[in-house]
């Protein structure tokens, strides 16, 4: 099998780390029972393994193409998308009022993981569509909610995010696309780049969410509004009609995700693309951020997803490939999984993948709590934790996704460099995840600037207390894990205190160590959820599973958590050195 | 300019770290004066920048092709190779008796760096040729030395290394290729894979060095012999004659180095490829290792070379690309080099590149000392240090090459994922270097098994003393560097002691942490040479250069050396966890 969904670890993580039974007690979540969860994961796993996974390698080789103005996706893409829509998968986390199934994000998360592990280039289309649906659900007009939203929720239509322009990447204030009022609508013109699934023939229409400036709007981000611009104009009966004035003019030639069309989009070459305002004028960035925060969690999950794929591929190769003597028994022509260093690589891959999974599911559950807990203070607390951990999930899980994918190549030796093996594709595909949806540098700036310094470290301290409480609970055979976790909390607290002090005096020096700080928080958060997994009651259900989980958690504590030692020193001391070289001396 | 050779840092490193003036006093090295060095570097730099570098991106796009049994290299390759031969570059480090220029390896090293930075896929051909020439110079018969060697030294012919077979990668004992005596010669048959430049039309002949088994030879590595097998049989007058029974049957489809043909070679499909024995029967692996040790240094240097290219590309982009506000002055649309996190990435790239360069040059100089010092004990000491540091140079410099190439993509943001920028190619190309010439896992096993445990840590202790002596010399403004270096030595000594103890009791647990141990040695060795550079008298010659070097060395001490803290903990404690999971639990 190309991909065997890790259902056992997923179910365990949902139960023990996300607390699915608690989530099911939240208002509106009564359907999210363990039985339904198991059934959904089983069905989703079959779809991912049988339909999506076999297209992954082929999709990379064929790639998306632009033929006479029409974007063609690889063979099999359309059928897979139709099966996805027919299966009702797009609507899982959306309100039943919009045609969704009203299930919690906690349950949608393992599904999205499976789509992405099975076929990252394919899964981007549903991911962007879900993001567009969220933005309309939160900020759409009644017409948009009645007409566009249900078709995104059903998957009949797909959605895109149009932020970037050649001069406006991380700096969205520099956006120049224009939107001129025309009756109830607006006419948009300008160029957008890096538009994922900006065009294709998988669905009968595409709803582009586009950031643009209205006439007379102020400079910078306050002058930016959000618009919904359909590929085909929507008629009175809600059906796609005439072609709108928007087209894909080029596909980018990329390192990876070749199957995913990354489009340069031209708006308004013939008088303006008709669109409708989403939310209020000048509030476009806020509307977009509703969606972007969840997309950031979704991209972090992609990091975990590609790591899982790399791990499964490397594990299979390590069992099959025979080279050299078994280090322990001396047996000749032993499978390379018997070699100590291959074991080290596989354990690193496994531990980072399981830790990333547990962290993503934990934050998804916290998001459901932030949305649905009856108590307002509890909702706020949950939201603060989600806000603090969102950049960490995005950046740390994608960085570790790249690390794991690269280790996957290394396990393959020379064969890892040969494209036929598939290991190289995983690294090529993974490499985009630390870049898109806000580079990991931007995530770190968000963590340190908005989430740490602005609130004086309050949530950071709460997070430390949570981890400390876990560490204190680890006794007996788990005590060594608890001890290493406690050391890591100390490193985190020291780094946090140093950063709070530096940030007050010299913000640039704090910004210079934001990425190592985020990595420290990520390593610690991964250690936290792995420790919780080792100690969870649910782990006892299966002795084999318990032994494996505890061994993996111990490995994480011994081999991954020590990274916090180095990172603490860097955060505490390296700021001035980073900024010390004169610009012209580079 | 696509590539500006870093001549200033190269000359400084040759003088201050390699000790070129000392090398010039060694027997046979009198020509290696600073004046000649400067002239050679200038000329080499022009060739690399003007001839090789412009072909790099194009060579990747066109790639090598197999057309009707003939391997075609990209356009421009042949002309560049001819210019290389006409310039006399292949013979630089070879004895004048074999037609070389008799210059020290110390001087050949920066040249090889430039070829590889300018065009890694092209530079592999000369690299393999030099390796074949070395093997023949050390072990060749009088006929081989008279006929084959001078043509490899001149570059008229090129050379290859044929080790790997489908079932014999890291485990060369499993080689099956056969060599049957036929008069004075042997007839070889079998398949070899991963043969770099195994076929091409750049030169009029190719000398394949092939590992094979003679009839009745013992199992394992003791039954392997080395043969020289020309593509075209060599006539009495030493000219290429009839085609030998060897051909390229397939090119691999690889992640990177697309321009370099990676061949599947078939020997003896029609009765046997004629070859001559190199060295003695059954000693093939020893002969090959003469060459492989130097190739490992050469591959480590490739890591530095690609890092330099990634650094230059990222630096140029960071100066040109404008996004967001200058963190310090608040200026809008500032070049991204003004952003603290971009600065962190560029400093990391710069520091790792300079440290890698200095380490490679230092080891090359030690190699010249090991070959040429009059005193035998001094030669032995130098050789022991070279042996200890060879796997470190190979593995650490290539791992950091990949790290720097990946950072180079990140500096480019979304553009880094677009192939047109060229940043992605550098990562794709770099990714082979931790794999070939012995995977980095094999290097670490060599370091721990052969270089550390077998001699009870003697050279490891000598290395610690060398670094400690450097640390002790750093006073005044350099004291913080010295202090961090001293801490790193402590971490190294602790890890070394732990490994010596573990290795005696449980060799597998030692093998499990061999890679983190090697990384620790690499980080320390890089810190050592950077500290020496900061303290060197030569650095005072230019105030601007001194300030930049000292700032970079300080950055290394503050931001890179702390990695040793985490690695020490891992080496000391993680062995059992790495090996703890049952094989069937993966």
């Amino acid at each position: 099998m190309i991909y065997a969904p890790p259902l056992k670890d997923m179910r365990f993580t949902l139960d023990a780390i996300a607390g699915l039974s608690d989530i099911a007690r939240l208002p509106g979540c009564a359907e999210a029972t363990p039985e339904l969860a198991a059934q959904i994961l089983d069905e989703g796993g079959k779809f991912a393994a049988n339909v999506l996974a076999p297209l992954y390698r082929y999709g990379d080789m064929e790639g998306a193409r632009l033929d006479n103005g029409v974007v063609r996706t690889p063979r099999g893409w359309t059928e897979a998308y139709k099966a996805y829509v027919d299966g009702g998968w797009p609507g899982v986390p959306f309100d039943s009022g919009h045609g969704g199934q009203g299930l919690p994000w906690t349950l949608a998360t393992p599904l999205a993981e499976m789509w992405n592990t099975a076929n990252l280039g394919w899964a981007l289309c549903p991911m962007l569509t879900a993001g567009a649906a969220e933005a309309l659900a939160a900020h759409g007009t009644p017409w948009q909610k009645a007409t566009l939203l249900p078709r995104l929720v059903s998957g009949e239509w797909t959605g895109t995010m149009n932020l970037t322009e050649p001069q406006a990447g991380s700096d969205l204030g520099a956006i120049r696309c224009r939107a001129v009022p025309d009756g109830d609508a607006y006419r948009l013109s300008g160029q957008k780049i890096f538009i994922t699934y900006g065009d294709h023939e998988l669905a009968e229409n595409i709803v582009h969410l586009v950031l643009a400036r209205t006439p007379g709007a102020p400079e910078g981000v306050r002058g930016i509004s959000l618009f919904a611009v359909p590929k085909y104009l929507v008629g009175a009966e809600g059906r796609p009609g005439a072609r709108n004035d928007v087209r894909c003019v080029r596909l980018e030639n990329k390192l990876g995700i070749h199957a995913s069309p990354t489009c340069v989009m031209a708006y308004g070459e013939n008088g303006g693309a008709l669109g409708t305002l989403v939310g209020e004028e000048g509030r476009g960035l806020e509307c977009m951020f509703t969606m972007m925060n969840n997309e950031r969690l979704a991209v972090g999950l992609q990091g975990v997803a590609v790591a899982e794929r790399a791990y499964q591929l490397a594990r299979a190769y390590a069992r099959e490939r025979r080279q050299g003597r078994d280090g322990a028994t001396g047996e000749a022509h032993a499978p390379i999984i018997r070699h100590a260093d291959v074991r080290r690589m596989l354990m690193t891959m496994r531990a980072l993948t399981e830790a990333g999974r547990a962290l993503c599911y934990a934050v998804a559950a916290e998001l459901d709590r932030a949305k649905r807990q009856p108590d307002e203070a509890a909702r706020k607390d949950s939201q603060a934790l989600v806000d603090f951990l969102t950049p960490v999930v995005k950046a740390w899980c994608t960085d570790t996704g790249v690390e794991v994918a690269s280790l996957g190549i290394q396990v393959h030796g020379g064969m890892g460099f040969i494209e036929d093996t598939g290991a190289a594709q995983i690294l090529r595909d993974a490499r985009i995840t630390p870049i898109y949806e806000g580079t990991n540098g931007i995530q770190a700036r968000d963590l340190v600037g908005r989430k740490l310094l602005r609130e004086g470290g309050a949530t950071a301290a709460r997070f430390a207390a949570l981890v400390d409480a876990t560490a204190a609970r680890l006794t007996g055979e788990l005590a060594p894990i608890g001890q290493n976790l406690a050391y890591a909390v100390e490193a985190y607290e020291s780094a946090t205190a140093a950063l709070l002090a530096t940030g007050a005096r010299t913000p640039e020096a704090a910004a210079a160590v934001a990425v190592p700080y985020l990595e420290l928080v990520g390593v610690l958060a991964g250690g936290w959820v792995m420790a919780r997994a080792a100690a969870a009651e649910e782990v006892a259900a299966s002795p084999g599973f318990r032994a494996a989980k505890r061994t993996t958690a111990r490995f994480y504590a011994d081999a991954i958590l020590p990274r916090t030692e180095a990172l603490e020193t860097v955060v505490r001391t390296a700021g001035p050195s980073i900024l010390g070289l004169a610009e012209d001396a580079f």
Side-chain angles (χ1 to χ4, degrees), chain A residues 1-8 10 45 48-49 53 113-114 117-118 308-309 312-313 315 357:
Chain A
M1 187 180 249
I2 299 172
Y3 165 51
L7 295 174
K8 210 165 181 179
M10 288 177 151
E113 182 196 324
M114 290 195 277
T117 306
E308 176 69 32
R309 187 157 191 130
Q312 291 198 16
L313 193 67
R315 177 179 65 188
R357 173 177 299 125

PDB file of all heavy atoms in Angstrom, chain A residues 1-8 10 45 48-49 53 113-114 117-118 308-309 312-313 315 357:
ATOM      1  N   MET A   1       0.845  -1.210   0.000  1.00  0.00           N
ATOM      2  CA  MET A   1       0.000   0.000   0.000  1.00  0.00           C
ATOM      3  C   MET A   1       0.875   1.252   0.000  1.00  0.00           C
ATOM      4  O   MET A   1       1.863   1.331   0.719  1.00  0.00           O
ATOM      5  CB  MET A   1      -0.898  -0.010   1.241  1.00  0.00           C
ATOM      6  CG  MET A   1      -1.926   1.094   1.248  1.00  0.00           C
ATOM      7  SD  MET A   1      -2.952   1.021   2.719  1.00  0.00           S
ATOM      8  CE  MET A   1      -4.530   0.545   2.057  1.00  0.00           C
ATOM      9  N   ILE A   2       0.521   2.225  -0.833  1.00  0.00           N
ATOM     10  CA  ILE A   2       1.311   3.444  -0.934  1.00  0.00           C
ATOM     11  C   ILE A   2       1.213   4.248   0.356  1.00  0.00           C
ATOM     12  O   ILE A   2       2.171   4.826   0.830  1.00  0.00           O
ATOM     13  CB  ILE A   2       0.793   4.302  -2.112  1.00  0.00           C
ATOM     14  CG1 ILE A   2       0.935   3.525  -3.413  1.00  0.00           C
ATOM     15  CG2 ILE A   2       1.554   5.607  -2.172  1.00  0.00           C
ATOM     16  CD1 ILE A   2       0.276   4.203  -4.588  1.00  0.00           C
ATOM     17  N   TYR A   3      -0.010   4.291   0.902  1.00  0.00           N
ATOM     18  CA  TYR A   3      -0.234   5.076   2.121  1.00  0.00           C
ATOM     19  C   TYR A   3      -1.245   4.339   2.988  1.00  0.00           C
ATOM     20  O   TYR A   3      -2.357   4.061   2.561  1.00  0.00           O
ATOM     21  CB  TYR A   3      -0.753   6.472   1.746  1.00  0.00           C
ATOM     22  CG  TYR A   3      -1.367   7.248   2.891  1.00  0.00           C
ATOM     23  CD1 TYR A   3      -0.684   7.407   4.099  1.00  0.00           C
ATOM     24  CD2 TYR A   3      -2.615   7.846   2.760  1.00  0.00           C
ATOM     25  CE1 TYR A   3      -1.250   8.117   5.145  1.00  0.00           C
ATOM     26  CE2 TYR A   3      -3.186   8.573   3.800  1.00  0.00           C
ATOM     27  CZ  TYR A   3      -2.500   8.709   4.990  1.00  0.00           C
ATOM     28  OH  TYR A   3      -3.051   9.413   6.018  1.00  0.00           O
ATOM     29  N   ALA A   4      -0.837   4.003   4.191  1.00  0.00           N
ATOM     30  CA  ALA A   4      -1.731   3.380   5.156  1.00  0.00           C
ATOM     31  C   ALA A   4      -2.063   4.420   6.214  1.00  0.00           C
ATOM     32  O   ALA A   4      -1.202   4.769   7.030  1.00  0.00           O
ATOM     33  CB  ALA A   4      -1.049   2.175   5.793  1.00  0.00           C
ATOM     34  N   PRO A   5      -3.266   4.971   6.204  1.00  0.00           N
ATOM     35  CA  PRO A   5      -3.601   6.020   7.176  1.00  0.00           C
ATOM     36  C   PRO A   5      -3.335   5.533   8.601  1.00  0.00           C
ATOM     37  O   PRO A   5      -3.719   4.412   8.954  1.00  0.00           O
ATOM     38  CB  PRO A   5      -5.096   6.251   6.939  1.00  0.00           C
ATOM     39  CG  PRO A   5      -5.334   5.823   5.527  1.00  0.00           C
ATOM     40  CD  PRO A   5      -4.389   4.669   5.305  1.00  0.00           C
ATOM     41  N   PRO A   6      -2.645   6.331   9.388  1.00  0.00           N
ATOM     42  CA  PRO A   6      -2.283   5.915  10.762  1.00  0.00           C
ATOM     43  C   PRO A   6      -3.488   6.059  11.699  1.00  0.00           C
ATOM     44  O   PRO A   6      -3.463   6.858  12.636  1.00  0.00           O
ATOM     45  CB  PRO A   6      -1.142   6.874  11.124  1.00  0.00           C
ATOM     46  CG  PRO A   6      -1.437   8.115  10.337  1.00  0.00           C
ATOM     47  CD  PRO A   6      -2.129   7.675   9.076  1.00  0.00           C
ATOM     48  N   LEU A   7      -4.516   5.278  11.423  1.00  0.00           N
ATOM     49  CA  LEU A   7      -5.801   5.460  12.108  1.00  0.00           C
ATOM     50  C   LEU A   7      -5.696   5.260  13.614  1.00  0.00           C
ATOM     51  O   LEU A   7      -6.352   5.937  14.387  1.00  0.00           O
ATOM     52  CB  LEU A   7      -6.844   4.493  11.526  1.00  0.00           C
ATOM     53  CG  LEU A   7      -7.198   4.748  10.050  1.00  0.00           C
ATOM     54  CD1 LEU A   7      -8.124   3.650   9.529  1.00  0.00           C
ATOM     55  CD2 LEU A   7      -7.848   6.119   9.876  1.00  0.00           C
ATOM     56  N   LYS A   8      -4.862   4.319  14.009  1.00  0.00           N
ATOM     57  CA  LYS A   8      -4.737   4.036  15.434  1.00  0.00           C
ATOM     58  C   LYS A   8      -4.188   5.255  16.178  1.00  0.00           C
ATOM     59  O   LYS A   8      -4.720   5.662  17.206  1.00  0.00           O
ATOM     60  CB  LYS A   8      -3.788   2.836  15.609  1.00  0.00           C
ATOM     61  CG  LYS A   8      -4.083   1.995  16.805  1.00  0.00           C
ATOM     62  CD  LYS A   8      -3.348   0.672  16.691  1.00  0.00           C
ATOM     63  CE  LYS A   8      -3.666  -0.197  17.900  1.00  0.00           C
ATOM     64  NZ  LYS A   8      -2.994  -1.501  17.816  1.00  0.00           N
ATOM     65  N   MET A  10      -4.205   8.293  15.082  1.00  0.00           N
ATOM     66  CA  MET A  10      -5.166   9.398  14.938  1.00  0.00           C
ATOM     67  C   MET A  10      -6.279   9.295  15.976  1.00  0.00           C
ATOM     68  O   MET A  10      -6.626  10.279  16.629  1.00  0.00           O
ATOM     69  CB  MET A  10      -5.774   9.358  13.535  1.00  0.00           C
ATOM     70  CG  MET A  10      -4.794   9.772  12.452  1.00  0.00           C
ATOM     71  SD  MET A  10      -5.569   9.604  10.817  1.00  0.00           S
ATOM     72  CE  MET A  10      -4.684  10.888   9.937  1.00  0.00           C
ATOM     73  N   GLY A  45     -10.054   7.499   5.424  1.00  0.00           N
ATOM     74  CA  GLY A  45      -8.803   6.789   5.169  1.00  0.00           C
ATOM     75  C   GLY A  45      -8.864   5.998   3.876  1.00  0.00           C
ATOM     76  O   GLY A  45      -7.896   5.966   3.108  1.00  0.00           O
ATOM     77  N   ALA A  48      -8.629   8.486   0.986  1.00  0.00           N
ATOM     78  CA  ALA A  48      -7.260   8.999   0.859  1.00  0.00           C
ATOM     79  C   ALA A  48      -6.322   7.943   0.284  1.00  0.00           C
ATOM     80  O   ALA A  48      -5.534   8.213  -0.626  1.00  0.00           O
ATOM     81  CB  ALA A  48      -6.750   9.473   2.225  1.00  0.00           C
ATOM     82  N   ALA A  49      -6.422   6.733   0.815  1.00  0.00           N
ATOM     83  CA  ALA A  49      -5.473   5.687   0.413  1.00  0.00           C
ATOM     84  C   ALA A  49      -5.774   5.156  -0.985  1.00  0.00           C
ATOM     85  O   ALA A  49      -4.861   4.884  -1.767  1.00  0.00           O
ATOM     86  CB  ALA A  49      -5.496   4.548   1.425  1.00  0.00           C
ATOM     87  N   ALA A  53      -4.019   8.863  -2.921  1.00  0.00           N
ATOM     88  CA  ALA A  53      -2.596   8.519  -2.819  1.00  0.00           C
ATOM     89  C   ALA A  53      -2.013   7.980  -4.129  1.00  0.00           C
ATOM     90  O   ALA A  53      -0.882   8.336  -4.488  1.00  0.00           O
ATOM     91  CB  ALA A  53      -2.369   7.526  -1.672  1.00  0.00           C
ATOM     92  N   GLU A 113      -5.541  16.026   7.340  1.00  0.00           N
ATOM     93  CA  GLU A 113      -4.212  15.404   7.374  1.00  0.00           C
ATOM     94  C   GLU A 113      -4.125  14.299   6.333  1.00  0.00           C
ATOM     95  O   GLU A 113      -3.147  14.213   5.576  1.00  0.00           O
ATOM     96  CB  GLU A 113      -3.912  14.834   8.771  1.00  0.00           C
ATOM     97  CG  GLU A 113      -2.510  14.223   8.847  1.00  0.00           C
ATOM     98  CD  GLU A 113      -2.279  13.318  10.057  1.00  0.00           C
ATOM     99  OE1 GLU A 113      -2.806  13.613  11.137  1.00  0.00           O
ATOM    100  OE2 GLU A 113      -1.568  12.299   9.890  1.00  0.00           O
ATOM    101  N   MET A 114      -5.150  13.465   6.288  1.00  0.00           N
ATOM    102  CA  MET A 114      -5.095  12.345   5.328  1.00  0.00           C
ATOM    103  C   MET A 114      -5.089  12.826   3.884  1.00  0.00           C
ATOM    104  O   MET A 114      -4.357  12.292   3.058  1.00  0.00           O
ATOM    105  CB  MET A 114      -6.261  11.394   5.584  1.00  0.00           C
ATOM    106  CG  MET A 114      -6.099  10.632   6.894  1.00  0.00           C
ATOM    107  SD  MET A 114      -7.207   9.209   7.055  1.00  0.00           S
ATOM    108  CE  MET A 114      -8.694   9.995   7.643  1.00  0.00           C
ATOM    109  N   THR A 117      -1.551  14.056   3.272  1.00  0.00           N
ATOM    110  CA  THR A 117      -0.534  12.998   3.200  1.00  0.00           C
ATOM    111  C   THR A 117      -0.683  12.237   1.886  1.00  0.00           C
ATOM    112  O   THR A 117       0.304  11.908   1.235  1.00  0.00           O
ATOM    113  CB  THR A 117      -0.682  11.991   4.360  1.00  0.00           C
ATOM    114  OG1 THR A 117      -0.668  12.695   5.592  1.00  0.00           O
ATOM    115  CG2 THR A 117       0.465  10.985   4.345  1.00  0.00           C
ATOM    116  N   ALA A 118      -1.926  11.975   1.533  1.00  0.00           N
ATOM    117  CA  ALA A 118      -2.161  11.185   0.332  1.00  0.00           C
ATOM    118  C   ALA A 118      -1.746  11.947  -0.922  1.00  0.00           C
ATOM    119  O   ALA A 118      -1.178  11.368  -1.846  1.00  0.00           O
ATOM    120  CB  ALA A 118      -3.635  10.804   0.244  1.00  0.00           C
ATOM    121  N   GLU A 308       4.401  12.406   7.653  1.00  0.00           N
ATOM    122  CA  GLU A 308       3.849  11.050   7.731  1.00  0.00           C
ATOM    123  C   GLU A 308       4.141  10.275   6.454  1.00  0.00           C
ATOM    124  O   GLU A 308       4.517   9.104   6.490  1.00  0.00           O
ATOM    125  CB  GLU A 308       2.331  11.110   7.978  1.00  0.00           C
ATOM    126  CG  GLU A 308       1.627   9.763   7.981  1.00  0.00           C
ATOM    127  CD  GLU A 308       1.985   8.881   9.176  1.00  0.00           C
ATOM    128  OE1 GLU A 308       2.253   9.427  10.253  1.00  0.00           O
ATOM    129  OE2 GLU A 308       2.003   7.643   9.017  1.00  0.00           O
ATOM    130  N   ARG A 309       3.970  10.929   5.329  1.00  0.00           N
ATOM    131  CA  ARG A 309       4.241  10.245   4.062  1.00  0.00           C
ATOM    132  C   ARG A 309       5.717   9.862   3.959  1.00  0.00           C
ATOM    133  O   ARG A 309       6.068   8.748   3.552  1.00  0.00           O
ATOM    134  CB  ARG A 309       3.841  11.094   2.863  1.00  0.00           C
ATOM    135  CG  ARG A 309       3.978  10.315   1.573  1.00  0.00           C
ATOM    136  CD  ARG A 309       3.123  10.841   0.443  1.00  0.00           C
ATOM    137  NE  ARG A 309       3.130   9.883  -0.657  1.00  0.00           N
ATOM    138  CZ  ARG A 309       2.059   9.430  -1.266  1.00  0.00           C
ATOM    139  NH1 ARG A 309       0.874   9.847  -0.913  1.00  0.00           N
ATOM    140  NH2 ARG A 309       2.157   8.556  -2.242  1.00  0.00           N
ATOM    141  N   GLN A 312       6.423   6.876   6.272  1.00  0.00           N
ATOM    142  CA  GLN A 312       5.939   5.580   5.777  1.00  0.00           C
ATOM    143  C   GLN A 312       6.802   5.058   4.623  1.00  0.00           C
ATOM    144  O   GLN A 312       7.097   3.869   4.537  1.00  0.00           O
ATOM    145  CB  GLN A 312       4.471   5.684   5.329  1.00  0.00           C
ATOM    146  CG  GLN A 312       3.518   5.905   6.502  1.00  0.00           C
ATOM    147  CD  GLN A 312       2.069   5.581   6.153  1.00  0.00           C
ATOM    148  OE1 GLN A 312       1.790   4.918   5.154  1.00  0.00           O
ATOM    149  NE2 GLN A 312       1.146   6.041   6.987  1.00  0.00           N
ATOM    150  N   LEU A 313       7.213   5.984   3.746  1.00  0.00           N
ATOM    151  CA  LEU A 313       8.026   5.568   2.603  1.00  0.00           C
ATOM    152  C   LEU A 313       9.403   5.086   3.069  1.00  0.00           C
ATOM    153  O   LEU A 313       9.906   4.052   2.616  1.00  0.00           O
ATOM    154  CB  LEU A 313       8.169   6.747   1.626  1.00  0.00           C
ATOM    155  CG  LEU A 313       8.722   6.432   0.250  1.00  0.00           C
ATOM    156  CD1 LEU A 313       7.748   5.560  -0.543  1.00  0.00           C
ATOM    157  CD2 LEU A 313       8.995   7.724  -0.535  1.00  0.00           C
ATOM    158  N   ARG A 315      10.246   4.006   6.062  1.00  0.00           N
ATOM    159  CA  ARG A 315      10.095   2.781   6.855  1.00  0.00           C
ATOM    160  C   ARG A 315       9.999   1.559   5.940  1.00  0.00           C
ATOM    161  O   ARG A 315      10.671   0.538   6.162  1.00  0.00           O
ATOM    162  CB  ARG A 315       8.837   2.901   7.702  1.00  0.00           C
ATOM    163  CG  ARG A 315       8.499   1.676   8.518  1.00  0.00           C
ATOM    164  CD  ARG A 315       7.243   1.918   9.341  1.00  0.00           C
ATOM    165  NE  ARG A 315       6.072   2.113   8.488  1.00  0.00           N
ATOM    166  CZ  ARG A 315       4.877   2.498   8.919  1.00  0.00           C
ATOM    167  NH1 ARG A 315       4.697   2.755  10.205  1.00  0.00           N
ATOM    168  NH2 ARG A 315       3.878   2.655   8.095  1.00  0.00           N
ATOM    169  N   ARG A 357       1.452  15.927  14.926  1.00  0.00           N
ATOM    170  CA  ARG A 357       0.037  15.534  14.852  1.00  0.00           C
ATOM    171  C   ARG A 357      -0.685  15.903  16.146  1.00  0.00           C
ATOM    172  O   ARG A 357      -1.758  16.520  16.121  1.00  0.00           O
ATOM    173  CB  ARG A 357      -0.079  14.038  14.589  1.00  0.00           C
ATOM    174  CG  ARG A 357      -1.532  13.504  14.672  1.00  0.00           C
ATOM    175  CD  ARG A 357      -1.609  12.025  14.338  1.00  0.00           C
ATOM    176  NE  ARG A 357      -1.135  11.799  12.977  1.00  0.00           N
ATOM    177  CZ  ARG A 357      -0.161  10.963  12.642  1.00  0.00           C
ATOM    178  NH1 ARG A 357       0.425  10.221  13.556  1.00  0.00           N
ATOM    179  NH2 ARG A 357       0.207  10.846  11.383  1.00  0.00           N
TER     180      ARG A 357
END
